[in-house]
Amino acid sequence: MFYRAIRGIAIALSHILYRFEISGPENIPKEGAFILCGNHISAFDPIALAAFSKRQLTFMAKKELFKFPPLGAFLRALGAFPVDRKATDMNAYRHTLKLLKDGNGFLIFSQGTRMKDFDNAKAGVAVFALKSGAPIIPVGITGPFRFRRIIQIHIGEPFSMEDYQNQKVKSELIDKIMAELAERIKPLLK
């Protein structure tokens, strides 16, 4: 209930502040787990994606944001949970896998910080996809997040992990998946 109310506010705020052009929203499955992964250009990215996704999204947010209790409570109500970006955070890792195994949609910006392109992405998204079997849905976000400017969100076709199931999660396989994911995201950034 709270999420739907906040999503309604996010949609209204998005339309007041920016002009969005969305392509590919039909690529988000109506049910089952999925991982939405794209470039990260603004702090508004998760709000915009949540506003335009028909499914509720869960996502990681840097733990520093949760230090201010009202903001932390608000973020948790939106489906966010803290992650320590400076260390291997096993609590966040286990929580993410549980969310995916429970059939939730998960949003991740695998670079760990804001960047216009998709370079230097961290491999966690591939590990989550391999361990859970959830498809990765590539997303490209372009445009300046400035008042009434056009922001384009391109949602690509799901990238299935079916061909990789029952294989050991090794660095070569992770690198292969990350390379393919980068190839799927790059055309969405134009």
Side-chain angles (χ1 to χ4, degrees):
M1 180 71 162
F2 181 71
Y3 181 84
R4 286 198 314 207
I6 294 299
R7 182 175 177 263
I9 293 168
I11 290 170
L13 188 61
S14 296
H15 287 301
I16 290 167
L17 295 175
Y18 311 108
R19 295 183 305 152
F20 284 92
E21 293 178 358
I22 314 291
S23 67
E26 68 279 1
N27 290 324
I28 296 176
K30 291 183 175 28
E31 57 185 40
F34 65 91
I35 301 170
L36 203 59
C37 179
N39 63 315
H40 188 19
I41 62 173
S42 166
F44 201 80
D45 293 339
I47 296 167
L49 288 169
F52 296 108
S53 172
K54 300 281 189 215
R55 296 268 310 270
Q56 182 171 347
L57 300 175
T58 58
F59 57 97
M60 293 180 184
K62 61 184 178 180
K63 70 177 186 176
E64 294 81 6
L65 295 174
F66 293 83
K67 288 185 178 177
F68 181 59
L71 178 59
F74 179 77
L75 289 171
R76 285 182 200 282
L78 286 177
F81 58 94
V83 63
D84 184 348
R85 297 182 307 162
K86 296 180 179 135
T88 302
D89 188 335
M90 291 308 294
N91 286 333
Y93 171 80
R94 283 189 289 272
H95 187 66
T96 300
L97 286 179
K98 182 179 181 333
L99 288 167
L100 291 168
K101 288 185 180 184
D102 289 346
N104 291 289
F106 177 66
L107 169 62
I108 187 169
F109 299 106
S110 65
Q111 294 150 307
T113 191
R114 286 178 249 163
M115 297 178 140
K116 291 186 188 235
D117 52 29
F118 193 70
D119 294 333
N120 303 314
K122 294 179 174 67
V125 64
V127 174
F128 292 139
L130 286 168
K131 293 278 188 181
S132 68
I136 303 172
I137 301 172
V139 176
I141 305 170
T142 58
F145 272 92
R146 289 192 212 114
F147 186 67
R148 300 306 299 154
R149 299 293 292 272
I150 294 174
I151 308 297
Q152 295 180 323
I153 298 176
H154 301 288
I155 303 168
E157 293 183 8
F159 170 21
S160 172
M161 294 294 110
E162 199 172 302
D163 293 342
Y164 304 111
Q165 293 302 295
N166 303 319
Q167 293 185 38
K168 286 196 174 229
V169 179
K170 293 185 174 180
S171 60
E172 298 84 19
L173 180 59
I174 291 169
D175 291 345
K176 181 178 179 180
I177 290 169
M178 292 306 293
E180 184 168 346
L181 179 58
E183 288 305 309
R184 288 171 179 253
I185 288 177
K186 285 179 183 172
L188 301 175
L189 298 176
K190 297 182 179 178

